[in-house]
Amino acid sequence: MPAIRIVHRTSLPPVEAWPMLTDWERHGAQVPLTRTIIETAPPTRVGTIFTARTGVSRITFDDRMEVVEWRPPAEGLPGLVRLEKRGRSVTGWAEIEIRPLAAGGAEIHWREELRLRGLPRALDPVVAAAGRLLFGRALARLLRPDRQDTA
């Protein structure tokens, strides 16, 4: 599985950044041609299920995910959300961890391993590079204070 690892720093404290990072509908708005469908009632918790649907018209693929770990940050403590990818097209997992920094702000660690069914493993390095670019951009946009959803 291609491994995607991104580290991003923000001046926002973890408790302020967390809701921005875990707003699943906004995740879809940051990825071109993608929308997020929440399948369970709020608030987010272990067991929450949502699908990121990417594509145009009838040519789409779904990345169905379930929250399997949900630990929001508390004052001075890190937070972690782990998602298991349970779709037919996309499998694997993703984690978003947020750590407080001693000087203020936070460091976000986005880790993801995914498999796109039908795609040869020889393309794993290309998928990983594209994922780092796409998810790194999405991460930066999710943390913008103005919270605009322009892709």
Side-chain angles (χ1 to χ4, degrees), residues 28-64:
Q30 307 312 314
V31 178
L33 306 174
T34 301
R35 68 184 176 100
T36 304
I37 303 152
I38 310 297
E39 300 176 33
T40 50
T44 297
R45 63 195 175 287
V46 170
T48 293
I49 297 172
F50 60 95
T51 300
R53 177 165 291 151
T54 302
V56 177
S57 187
R58 295 186 330 191
I59 303 169
T60 63
F61 70 90
D62 289 347
D63 183 1
R64 189 166 194 260

PDB file of all heavy atoms in Angstrom, residues 28-64:
ATOM      1  N   GLY A  28     -14.255  17.043   1.682  1.00  0.00           N
ATOM      2  CA  GLY A  28     -14.662  16.858   0.294  1.00  0.00           C
ATOM      3  C   GLY A  28     -14.551  18.132  -0.514  1.00  0.00           C
ATOM      4  O   GLY A  28     -14.174  18.107  -1.686  1.00  0.00           O
ATOM      5  N   ALA A  29     -14.865  19.266   0.106  1.00  0.00           N
ATOM      6  CA  ALA A  29     -14.801  20.549  -0.594  1.00  0.00           C
ATOM      7  C   ALA A  29     -13.371  20.939  -0.960  1.00  0.00           C
ATOM      8  O   ALA A  29     -13.161  21.779  -1.824  1.00  0.00           O
ATOM      9  CB  ALA A  29     -15.443  21.640   0.260  1.00  0.00           C
ATOM     10  N   GLN A  30     -12.377  20.337  -0.324  1.00  0.00           N
ATOM     11  CA  GLN A  30     -10.977  20.672  -0.586  1.00  0.00           C
ATOM     12  C   GLN A  30     -10.351  19.803  -1.679  1.00  0.00           C
ATOM     13  O   GLN A  30      -9.253  20.088  -2.149  1.00  0.00           O
ATOM     14  CB  GLN A  30     -10.146  20.544   0.691  1.00  0.00           C
ATOM     15  CG  GLN A  30     -10.679  21.311   1.874  1.00  0.00           C
ATOM     16  CD  GLN A  30     -11.055  22.739   1.552  1.00  0.00           C
ATOM     17  OE1 GLN A  30     -10.309  23.458   0.894  1.00  0.00           O
ATOM     18  NE2 GLN A  30     -12.209  23.160   2.004  1.00  0.00           N
ATOM     19  N   VAL A  31     -11.030  18.732  -2.054  1.00  0.00           N
ATOM     20  CA  VAL A  31     -10.500  17.799  -3.055  1.00  0.00           C
ATOM     21  C   VAL A  31     -11.312  17.966  -4.334  1.00  0.00           C
ATOM     22  O   VAL A  31     -12.546  17.866  -4.299  1.00  0.00           O
ATOM     23  CB  VAL A  31     -10.575  16.340  -2.541  1.00  0.00           C
ATOM     24  CG1 VAL A  31     -10.063  15.363  -3.585  1.00  0.00           C
ATOM     25  CG2 VAL A  31      -9.796  16.206  -1.239  1.00  0.00           C
ATOM     26  N   PRO A  32     -10.658  18.230  -5.461  1.00  0.00           N
ATOM     27  CA  PRO A  32     -11.395  18.450  -6.709  1.00  0.00           C
ATOM     28  C   PRO A  32     -12.349  17.301  -7.033  1.00  0.00           C
ATOM     29  O   PRO A  32     -12.033  16.135  -6.842  1.00  0.00           O
ATOM     30  CB  PRO A  32     -10.284  18.541  -7.767  1.00  0.00           C
ATOM     31  CG  PRO A  32      -9.075  18.964  -6.999  1.00  0.00           C
ATOM     32  CD  PRO A  32      -9.214  18.338  -5.643  1.00  0.00           C
ATOM     33  N   LEU A  33     -13.541  17.687  -7.505  1.00  0.00           N
ATOM     34  CA  LEU A  33     -14.571  16.754  -7.963  1.00  0.00           C
ATOM     35  C   LEU A  33     -15.040  15.789  -6.876  1.00  0.00           C
ATOM     36  O   LEU A  33     -15.465  14.675  -7.164  1.00  0.00           O
ATOM     37  CB  LEU A  33     -14.082  15.970  -9.191  1.00  0.00           C
ATOM     38  CG  LEU A  33     -13.575  16.810 -10.369  1.00  0.00           C
ATOM     39  CD1 LEU A  33     -12.981  15.921 -11.437  1.00  0.00           C
ATOM     40  CD2 LEU A  33     -14.680  17.685 -10.935  1.00  0.00           C
ATOM     41  N   THR A  34     -14.961  16.222  -5.613  1.00  0.00           N
ATOM     42  CA  THR A  34     -15.318  15.346  -4.497  1.00  0.00           C
ATOM     43  C   THR A  34     -16.358  16.002  -3.606  1.00  0.00           C
ATOM     44  O   THR A  34     -16.324  17.204  -3.375  1.00  0.00           O
ATOM     45  CB  THR A  34     -14.063  15.018  -3.665  1.00  0.00           C
ATOM     46  OG1 THR A  34     -13.116  14.375  -4.520  1.00  0.00           O
ATOM     47  CG2 THR A  34     -14.387  14.101  -2.498  1.00  0.00           C
ATOM     48  N   ARG A  35     -17.270  15.177  -3.126  1.00  0.00           N
ATOM     49  CA  ARG A  35     -18.207  15.628  -2.102  1.00  0.00           C
ATOM     50  C   ARG A  35     -18.286  14.544  -1.043  1.00  0.00           C
ATOM     51  O   ARG A  35     -18.057  13.363  -1.321  1.00  0.00           O
ATOM     52  CB  ARG A  35     -19.584  15.958  -2.670  1.00  0.00           C
ATOM     53  CG  ARG A  35     -20.347  14.776  -3.180  1.00  0.00           C
ATOM     54  CD  ARG A  35     -21.664  15.235  -3.816  1.00  0.00           C
ATOM     55  NE  ARG A  35     -22.356  14.109  -4.392  1.00  0.00           N
ATOM     56  CZ  ARG A  35     -23.365  13.468  -3.811  1.00  0.00           C
ATOM     57  NH1 ARG A  35     -23.794  13.863  -2.632  1.00  0.00           N
ATOM     58  NH2 ARG A  35     -23.947  12.459  -4.402  1.00  0.00           N
ATOM     59  N   THR A  36     -18.583  14.959   0.172  1.00  0.00           N
ATOM     60  CA  THR A  36     -18.637  14.021   1.289  1.00  0.00           C
ATOM     61  C   THR A  36     -20.087  13.809   1.691  1.00  0.00           C
ATOM     62  O   THR A  36     -20.846  14.765   1.839  1.00  0.00           O
ATOM     63  CB  THR A  36     -17.835  14.555   2.485  1.00  0.00           C
ATOM     64  OG1 THR A  36     -16.503  14.825   2.053  1.00  0.00           O
ATOM     65  CG2 THR A  36     -17.799  13.545   3.618  1.00  0.00           C
ATOM     66  N   ILE A  37     -20.438  12.548   1.882  1.00  0.00           N
ATOM     67  CA  ILE A  37     -21.782  12.167   2.303  1.00  0.00           C
ATOM     68  C   ILE A  37     -21.658  11.551   3.699  1.00  0.00           C
ATOM     69  O   ILE A  37     -21.012  10.514   3.864  1.00  0.00           O
ATOM     70  CB  ILE A  37     -22.384  11.148   1.316  1.00  0.00           C
ATOM     71  CG1 ILE A  37     -22.398  11.741  -0.094  1.00  0.00           C
ATOM     72  CG2 ILE A  37     -23.777  10.723   1.762  1.00  0.00           C
ATOM     73  CD1 ILE A  37     -22.323  10.709  -1.187  1.00  0.00           C
ATOM     74  N   ILE A  38     -22.256  12.201   4.682  1.00  0.00           N
ATOM     75  CA  ILE A  38     -22.228  11.701   6.058  1.00  0.00           C
ATOM     76  C   ILE A  38     -23.389  10.722   6.215  1.00  0.00           C
ATOM     77  O   ILE A  38     -24.537  11.070   5.943  1.00  0.00           O
ATOM     78  CB  ILE A  38     -22.357  12.847   7.082  1.00  0.00           C
ATOM     79  CG1 ILE A  38     -21.364  13.977   6.783  1.00  0.00           C
ATOM     80  CG2 ILE A  38     -22.208  12.307   8.503  1.00  0.00           C
ATOM     81  CD1 ILE A  38     -19.921  13.622   6.877  1.00  0.00           C
ATOM     82  N   GLU A  39     -23.094   9.512   6.665  1.00  0.00           N
ATOM     83  CA  GLU A  39     -24.114   8.474   6.752  1.00  0.00           C
ATOM     84  C   GLU A  39     -24.667   8.267   8.151  1.00  0.00           C
ATOM     85  O   GLU A  39     -25.636   7.526   8.325  1.00  0.00           O
ATOM     86  CB  GLU A  39     -23.547   7.153   6.209  1.00  0.00           C
ATOM     87  CG  GLU A  39     -23.108   7.267   4.756  1.00  0.00           C
ATOM     88  CD  GLU A  39     -22.460   6.009   4.233  1.00  0.00           C
ATOM     89  OE1 GLU A  39     -22.848   4.907   4.655  1.00  0.00           O
ATOM     90  OE2 GLU A  39     -21.554   6.137   3.387  1.00  0.00           O
ATOM     91  N   THR A  40     -24.050   8.886   9.146  1.00  0.00           N
ATOM     92  CA  THR A  40     -24.503   8.722  10.529  1.00  0.00           C
ATOM     93  C   THR A  40     -24.792  10.091  11.127  1.00  0.00           C
ATOM     94  O   THR A  40     -24.268  11.100  10.676  1.00  0.00           O
ATOM     95  CB  THR A  40     -23.439   7.997  11.380  1.00  0.00           C
ATOM     96  OG1 THR A  40     -22.184   8.647  11.193  1.00  0.00           O
ATOM     97  CG2 THR A  40     -23.289   6.539  10.976  1.00  0.00           C
ATOM     98  N   ALA A  41     -25.625  10.101  12.159  1.00  0.00           N
ATOM     99  CA  ALA A  41     -26.008  11.361  12.805  1.00  0.00           C
ATOM    100  C   ALA A  41     -24.825  11.940  13.582  1.00  0.00           C
ATOM    101  O   ALA A  41     -24.011  11.204  14.126  1.00  0.00           O
ATOM    102  CB  ALA A  41     -27.184  11.119  13.747  1.00  0.00           C
ATOM    103  N   PRO A  42     -24.743  13.287  13.639  1.00  0.00           N
ATOM    104  CA  PRO A  42     -23.694  13.905  14.436  1.00  0.00           C
ATOM    105  C   PRO A  42     -23.945  13.681  15.920  1.00  0.00           C
ATOM    106  O   PRO A  42     -25.057  13.311  16.294  1.00  0.00           O
ATOM    107  CB  PRO A  42     -23.801  15.383  14.073  1.00  0.00           C
ATOM    108  CG  PRO A  42     -25.115  15.577  13.416  1.00  0.00           C
ATOM    109  CD  PRO A  42     -25.603  14.239  12.967  1.00  0.00           C
ATOM    110  N   PRO A  43     -22.950  13.924  16.744  1.00  0.00           N
ATOM    111  CA  PRO A  43     -21.590  14.374  16.435  1.00  0.00           C
ATOM    112  C   PRO A  43     -20.710  13.197  16.010  1.00  0.00           C
ATOM    113  O   PRO A  43     -21.069  12.037  16.204  1.00  0.00           O
ATOM    114  CB  PRO A  43     -21.112  14.947  17.773  1.00  0.00           C
ATOM    115  CG  PRO A  43     -21.801  14.099  18.794  1.00  0.00           C
ATOM    116  CD  PRO A  43     -23.157  13.780  18.198  1.00  0.00           C
ATOM    117  N   THR A  44     -19.545  13.530  15.451  1.00  0.00           N
ATOM    118  CA  THR A  44     -18.581  12.504  15.089  1.00  0.00           C
ATOM    119  C   THR A  44     -18.132  11.764  16.341  1.00  0.00           C
ATOM    120  O   THR A  44     -17.906  12.369  17.384  1.00  0.00           O
ATOM    121  CB  THR A  44     -17.356  13.123  14.388  1.00  0.00           C
ATOM    122  OG1 THR A  44     -17.787  13.735  13.171  1.00  0.00           O
ATOM    123  CG2 THR A  44     -16.311  12.063  14.069  1.00  0.00           C
ATOM    124  N   ARG A  45     -17.996  10.453  16.198  1.00  0.00           N
ATOM    125  CA  ARG A  45     -17.581   9.581  17.300  1.00  0.00           C
ATOM    126  C   ARG A  45     -17.127   8.264  16.678  1.00  0.00           C
ATOM    127  O   ARG A  45     -17.225   8.079  15.467  1.00  0.00           O
ATOM    128  CB  ARG A  45     -18.745   9.346  18.263  1.00  0.00           C
ATOM    129  CG  ARG A  45     -19.891   8.615  17.584  1.00  0.00           C
ATOM    130  CD  ARG A  45     -21.191   8.671  18.363  1.00  0.00           C
ATOM    131  NE  ARG A  45     -22.288   8.071  17.647  1.00  0.00           N
ATOM    132  CZ  ARG A  45     -22.923   8.572  16.600  1.00  0.00           C
ATOM    133  NH1 ARG A  45     -22.541   9.725  16.093  1.00  0.00           N
ATOM    134  NH2 ARG A  45     -23.916   7.948  16.025  1.00  0.00           N
ATOM    135  N   VAL A  46     -16.655   7.332  17.488  1.00  0.00           N
ATOM    136  CA  VAL A  46     -16.353   5.996  16.987  1.00  0.00           C
ATOM    137  C   VAL A  46     -17.646   5.443  16.393  1.00  0.00           C
ATOM    138  O   VAL A  46     -18.709   5.541  17.007  1.00  0.00           O
ATOM    139  CB  VAL A  46     -15.817   5.085  18.121  1.00  0.00           C
ATOM    140  CG1 VAL A  46     -15.746   3.638  17.660  1.00  0.00           C
ATOM    141  CG2 VAL A  46     -14.448   5.564  18.577  1.00  0.00           C
ATOM    142  N   GLY A  47     -17.547   4.921  15.187  1.00  0.00           N
ATOM    143  CA  GLY A  47     -18.718   4.386  14.495  1.00  0.00           C
ATOM    144  C   GLY A  47     -19.285   5.320  13.435  1.00  0.00           C
ATOM    145  O   GLY A  47     -20.115   4.896  12.629  1.00  0.00           O
ATOM    146  N   THR A  48     -18.867   6.589  13.430  1.00  0.00           N
ATOM    147  CA  THR A  48     -19.323   7.504  12.386  1.00  0.00           C
ATOM    148  C   THR A  48     -18.850   6.980  11.030  1.00  0.00           C
ATOM    149  O   THR A  48     -17.704   6.552  10.885  1.00  0.00           O
ATOM    150  CB  THR A  48     -18.782   8.927  12.625  1.00  0.00           C
ATOM    151  OG1 THR A  48     -19.381   9.442  13.814  1.00  0.00           O
ATOM    152  CG2 THR A  48     -19.084   9.856  11.460  1.00  0.00           C
ATOM    153  N   ILE A  49     -19.740   7.010  10.053  1.00  0.00           N
ATOM    154  CA  ILE A  49     -19.422   6.536   8.703  1.00  0.00           C
ATOM    155  C   ILE A  49     -19.714   7.660   7.720  1.00  0.00           C
ATOM    156  O   ILE A  49     -20.751   8.326   7.799  1.00  0.00           O
ATOM    157  CB  ILE A  49     -20.246   5.286   8.344  1.00  0.00           C
ATOM    158  CG1 ILE A  49     -19.877   4.135   9.286  1.00  0.00           C
ATOM    159  CG2 ILE A  49     -20.026   4.887   6.886  1.00  0.00           C
ATOM    160  CD1 ILE A  49     -20.760   2.915   9.143  1.00  0.00           C
ATOM    161  N   PHE A  50     -18.785   7.865   6.788  1.00  0.00           N
ATOM    162  CA  PHE A  50     -18.996   8.840   5.722  1.00  0.00           C
ATOM    163  C   PHE A  50     -18.288   8.357   4.464  1.00  0.00           C
ATOM    164  O   PHE A  50     -17.406   7.502   4.510  1.00  0.00           O
ATOM    165  CB  PHE A  50     -18.542  10.241   6.132  1.00  0.00           C
ATOM    166  CG  PHE A  50     -17.092  10.352   6.492  1.00  0.00           C
ATOM    167  CD1 PHE A  50     -16.154  10.743   5.558  1.00  0.00           C
ATOM    168  CD2 PHE A  50     -16.662  10.077   7.784  1.00  0.00           C
ATOM    169  CE1 PHE A  50     -14.816  10.859   5.888  1.00  0.00           C
ATOM    170  CE2 PHE A  50     -15.331  10.184   8.140  1.00  0.00           C
ATOM    171  CZ  PHE A  50     -14.403  10.576   7.179  1.00  0.00           C
ATOM    172  N   THR A  51     -18.714   8.901   3.332  1.00  0.00           N
ATOM    173  CA  THR A  51     -18.158   8.518   2.043  1.00  0.00           C
ATOM    174  C   THR A  51     -17.701   9.760   1.298  1.00  0.00           C
ATOM    175  O   THR A  51     -18.458  10.726   1.187  1.00  0.00           O
ATOM    176  CB  THR A  51     -19.208   7.771   1.199  1.00  0.00           C
ATOM    177  OG1 THR A  51     -19.617   6.603   1.901  1.00  0.00           O
ATOM    178  CG2 THR A  51     -18.662   7.383  -0.162  1.00  0.00           C
ATOM    179  N   ALA A  52     -16.472   9.729   0.812  1.00  0.00           N
ATOM    180  CA  ALA A  52     -15.980  10.763  -0.092  1.00  0.00           C
ATOM    181  C   ALA A  52     -16.194  10.227  -1.505  1.00  0.00           C
ATOM    182  O   ALA A  52     -15.595   9.216  -1.894  1.00  0.00           O
ATOM    183  CB  ALA A  52     -14.513  11.051   0.162  1.00  0.00           C
ATOM    184  N   ARG A  53     -17.094  10.875  -2.256  1.00  0.00           N
ATOM    185  CA  ARG A  53     -17.404  10.442  -3.627  1.00  0.00           C
ATOM    186  C   ARG A  53     -16.696  11.372  -4.595  1.00  0.00           C
ATOM    187  O   ARG A  53     -16.923  12.574  -4.597  1.00  0.00           O
ATOM    188  CB  ARG A  53     -18.910  10.453  -3.849  1.00  0.00           C
ATOM    189  CG  ARG A  53     -19.304  10.073  -5.277  1.00  0.00           C
ATOM    190  CD  ARG A  53     -20.766   9.745  -5.393  1.00  0.00           C
ATOM    191  NE  ARG A  53     -20.994   8.494  -4.679  1.00  0.00           N
ATOM    192  CZ  ARG A  53     -22.144   8.181  -4.100  1.00  0.00           C
ATOM    193  NH1 ARG A  53     -23.157   9.019  -4.133  1.00  0.00           N
ATOM    194  NH2 ARG A  53     -22.279   7.019  -3.481  1.00  0.00           N
ATOM    195  N   THR A  54     -15.837  10.807  -5.422  1.00  0.00           N
ATOM    196  CA  THR A  54     -15.049  11.584  -6.373  1.00  0.00           C
ATOM    197  C   THR A  54     -15.413  11.159  -7.787  1.00  0.00           C
ATOM    198  O   THR A  54     -15.505   9.963  -8.077  1.00  0.00           O
ATOM    199  CB  THR A  54     -13.543  11.358  -6.138  1.00  0.00           C
ATOM    200  OG1 THR A  54     -13.228  11.735  -4.797  1.00  0.00           O
ATOM    201  CG2 THR A  54     -12.696  12.184  -7.101  1.00  0.00           C
ATOM    202  N   GLY A  55     -15.597  12.144  -8.666  1.00  0.00           N
ATOM    203  CA  GLY A  55     -15.871  11.837 -10.059  1.00  0.00           C
ATOM    204  C   GLY A  55     -16.801  12.849 -10.690  1.00  0.00           C
ATOM    205  O   GLY A  55     -17.181  13.851 -10.103  1.00  0.00           O
ATOM    206  N   VAL A  56     -17.170  12.523 -11.927  1.00  0.00           N
ATOM    207  CA  VAL A  56     -18.062  13.361 -12.705  1.00  0.00           C
ATOM    208  C   VAL A  56     -19.159  12.473 -13.276  1.00  0.00           C
ATOM    209  O   VAL A  56     -18.875  11.387 -13.804  1.00  0.00           O
ATOM    210  CB  VAL A  56     -17.299  14.056 -13.862  1.00  0.00           C
ATOM    211  CG1 VAL A  56     -18.235  14.884 -14.717  1.00  0.00           C
ATOM    212  CG2 VAL A  56     -16.167  14.910 -13.322  1.00  0.00           C
ATOM    213  N   SER A  57     -20.392  12.942 -13.160  1.00  0.00           N
ATOM    214  CA  SER A  57     -21.549  12.236 -13.696  1.00  0.00           C
ATOM    215  C   SER A  57     -21.619  10.822 -13.115  1.00  0.00           C
ATOM    216  O   SER A  57     -21.566  10.643 -11.908  1.00  0.00           O
ATOM    217  CB  SER A  57     -21.489  12.236 -15.220  1.00  0.00           C
ATOM    218  OG  SER A  57     -22.677  11.708 -15.748  1.00  0.00           O
ATOM    219  N   ARG A  58     -21.664   9.815 -13.983  1.00  0.00           N
ATOM    220  CA  ARG A  58     -21.753   8.431 -13.492  1.00  0.00           C
ATOM    221  C   ARG A  58     -20.388   7.784 -13.320  1.00  0.00           C
ATOM    222  O   ARG A  58     -20.292   6.640 -12.895  1.00  0.00           O
ATOM    223  CB  ARG A  58     -22.606   7.599 -14.437  1.00  0.00           C
ATOM    224  CG  ARG A  58     -24.039   8.076 -14.453  1.00  0.00           C
ATOM    225  CD  ARG A  58     -24.948   7.211 -15.257  1.00  0.00           C
ATOM    226  NE  ARG A  58     -24.291   6.551 -16.362  1.00  0.00           N
ATOM    227  CZ  ARG A  58     -24.920   5.911 -17.321  1.00  0.00           C
ATOM    228  NH1 ARG A  58     -26.229   5.849 -17.302  1.00  0.00           N
ATOM    229  NH2 ARG A  58     -24.270   5.324 -18.291  1.00  0.00           N
ATOM    230  N   ILE A  59     -19.325   8.490 -13.643  1.00  0.00           N
ATOM    231  CA  ILE A  59     -17.976   7.956 -13.494  1.00  0.00           C
ATOM    232  C   ILE A  59     -17.434   8.444 -12.154  1.00  0.00           C
ATOM    233  O   ILE A  59     -16.871   9.536 -12.041  1.00  0.00           O
ATOM    234  CB  ILE A  59     -17.070   8.399 -14.660  1.00  0.00           C
ATOM    235  CG1 ILE A  59     -17.677   7.966 -15.976  1.00  0.00           C
ATOM    236  CG2 ILE A  59     -15.669   7.827 -14.482  1.00  0.00           C
ATOM    237  CD1 ILE A  59     -17.011   8.578 -17.192  1.00  0.00           C
ATOM    238  N   THR A  60     -17.666   7.649 -11.115  1.00  0.00           N
ATOM    239  CA  THR A  60     -17.256   8.031  -9.772  1.00  0.00           C
ATOM    240  C   THR A  60     -16.663   6.830  -9.041  1.00  0.00           C
ATOM    241  O   THR A  60     -16.850   5.688  -9.452  1.00  0.00           O
ATOM    242  CB  THR A  60     -18.453   8.542  -8.936  1.00  0.00           C
ATOM    243  OG1 THR A  60     -19.394   7.481  -8.781  1.00  0.00           O
ATOM    244  CG2 THR A  60     -19.117   9.739  -9.578  1.00  0.00           C
ATOM    245  N   PHE A  61     -15.949   7.121  -7.968  1.00  0.00           N
ATOM    246  CA  PHE A  61     -15.559   6.064  -7.043  1.00  0.00           C
ATOM    247  C   PHE A  61     -15.738   6.592  -5.632  1.00  0.00           C
ATOM    248  O   PHE A  61     -15.651   7.781  -5.375  1.00  0.00           O
ATOM    249  CB  PHE A  61     -14.141   5.534  -7.301  1.00  0.00           C
ATOM    250  CG  PHE A  61     -13.037   6.488  -6.966  1.00  0.00           C
ATOM    251  CD1 PHE A  61     -12.482   6.505  -5.700  1.00  0.00           C
ATOM    252  CD2 PHE A  61     -12.548   7.358  -7.918  1.00  0.00           C
ATOM    253  CE1 PHE A  61     -11.462   7.373  -5.376  1.00  0.00           C
ATOM    254  CE2 PHE A  61     -11.522   8.237  -7.607  1.00  0.00           C
ATOM    255  CZ  PHE A  61     -10.981   8.238  -6.332  1.00  0.00           C
ATOM    256  N   ASP A  62     -16.068   5.677  -4.739  1.00  0.00           N
ATOM    257  CA  ASP A  62     -16.358   6.027  -3.360  1.00  0.00           C
ATOM    258  C   ASP A  62     -15.234   5.583  -2.431  1.00  0.00           C
ATOM    259  O   ASP A  62     -14.718   4.478  -2.571  1.00  0.00           O
ATOM    260  CB  ASP A  62     -17.654   5.343  -2.891  1.00  0.00           C
ATOM    261  CG  ASP A  62     -18.887   5.948  -3.541  1.00  0.00           C
ATOM    262  OD1 ASP A  62     -18.783   7.032  -4.142  1.00  0.00           O
ATOM    263  OD2 ASP A  62     -19.963   5.332  -3.438  1.00  0.00           O
ATOM    264  N   ASP A  63     -14.890   6.461  -1.501  1.00  0.00           N
ATOM    265  CA  ASP A  63     -13.949   6.156  -0.431  1.00  0.00           C
ATOM    266  C   ASP A  63     -14.773   6.172   0.852  1.00  0.00           C
ATOM    267  O   ASP A  63     -14.959   7.215   1.465  1.00  0.00           O
ATOM    268  CB  ASP A  63     -12.833   7.196  -0.414  1.00  0.00           C
ATOM    269  CG  ASP A  63     -11.763   6.917   0.630  1.00  0.00           C
ATOM    270  OD1 ASP A  63     -11.866   5.896   1.343  1.00  0.00           O
ATOM    271  OD2 ASP A  63     -10.831   7.738   0.735  1.00  0.00           O
ATOM    272  N   ARG A  64     -15.307   5.011   1.234  1.00  0.00           N
ATOM    273  CA  ARG A  64     -16.172   4.885   2.405  1.00  0.00           C
ATOM    274  C   ARG A  64     -15.289   4.672   3.642  1.00  0.00           C
ATOM    275  O   ARG A  64     -14.425   3.794   3.638  1.00  0.00           O
ATOM    276  CB  ARG A  64     -17.125   3.708   2.240  1.00  0.00           C
ATOM    277  CG  ARG A  64     -18.196   3.646   3.297  1.00  0.00           C
ATOM    278  CD  ARG A  64     -19.286   2.665   2.861  1.00  0.00           C
ATOM    279  NE  ARG A  64     -20.455   2.812   3.677  1.00  0.00           N
ATOM    280  CZ  ARG A  64     -20.750   2.014   4.696  1.00  0.00           C
ATOM    281  NH1 ARG A  64     -19.952   1.005   5.003  1.00  0.00           N
ATOM    282  NH2 ARG A  64     -21.833   2.208   5.398  1.00  0.00           N
TER     283      ARG A  64
END
